[in-house]
Amino acid sequence: MNIDEFLRQSIQHNAEEAKRLMAEKKQQRVAEIMQNSGMKSRFKKRTFATFVVTTENTLAYQKALEFAENFEKQGKGLLFTGNIGTGKTHLAAAIANHLMQNLYTVIFGNITDIISRIYDTYDKDSDVSTMEII
């Protein structure tokens, strides 16, 4: 093996190892974000790919996907309304999971869960401030 071949193989090996380490580090960070999100385990597998699109919920699906994919540019939130069983929670979880996979910090829950997390910050021994939750 000549020096050029040796260098080429070394560079390729180092590049592959760097990609593997970066992917591993990202997965560790995603796991940490998910752990701190408050998301219950049953919602952690809710994605856009697992959402069943029907004629009744196509627009909600499209808006949710667009919101998640363009989150950085969004100037406002997204509100879901509708009857029980129409997929509101699934879409909210899909958005949250999409954002967490892209390293955004997310707090997931209904209004009672979120108010409870804020209330817990009033404890003098709390590790998190009210503003961090908000």
Side-chain angles (χ1 to χ4, degrees):
M1 174 184 307
N2 66 32
I3 189 75
D4 290 339
E5 183 62 27
F6 173 77
L7 289 174
R8 200 174 301 108
Q9 286 180 0
S10 293
I11 290 169
Q12 181 179 355
H13 173 75
N14 289 341
E16 290 169 3
E17 183 65 12
K19 283 181 187 176
R20 186 189 68 74
L21 288 172
M22 287 176 64
E24 186 178 297
K25 187 78 168 164
K26 179 182 177 187
Q27 280 311 110
Q28 289 172 350
R29 181 66 182 128
V30 168
E32 180 184 322
I33 290 169
M34 290 188 90
Q35 177 69 33
N36 294 329
S37 71
M39 182 179 280
K40 308 262 189 296
S41 60
R42 70 177 188 253
F43 299 117
K44 291 182 179 178
K45 299 227 187 280
R46 305 270 171 97
T47 65
F48 291 107
T50 61
F51 187 76
V52 178
V53 180
T54 66
T55 55
E56 292 83 24
N57 65 21
T58 300
L59 182 59
Y61 170 83
Q62 291 169 342
K63 292 289 185 185
L65 182 59
E66 179 183 331
F67 181 84
E69 289 179 342
N70 299 302
F71 183 74
E72 208 169 281
K73 300 173 193 166
Q74 298 297 328
K76 55 187 172 183
L78 192 60
L79 175 67
F80 294 108
T81 62
N83 294 326
I84 294 171
T86 56
K88 297 179 301 293
T89 304
H90 187 129
L91 288 175
I95 291 169
N97 285 315
H98 178 87
L99 294 177
M100 288 186 286
Q101 287 298 320
N102 287 288
L103 303 178
Y104 284 97
T105 301
V106 171
I107 294 179
F108 187 85
N110 61 33
I111 192 66
T112 305
D113 297 332
I114 293 169
I115 289 172
S116 181
R117 286 186 75 161
I118 291 170
Y119 182 75
D120 289 346
T121 67
Y122 297 157
D123 184 342
K124 67 179 180 192
D125 297 325
S126 176
D127 294 336
V128 182
S129 74
T130 303
M131 287 310 293
E132 287 175 304
I133 297 295
I134 293 172

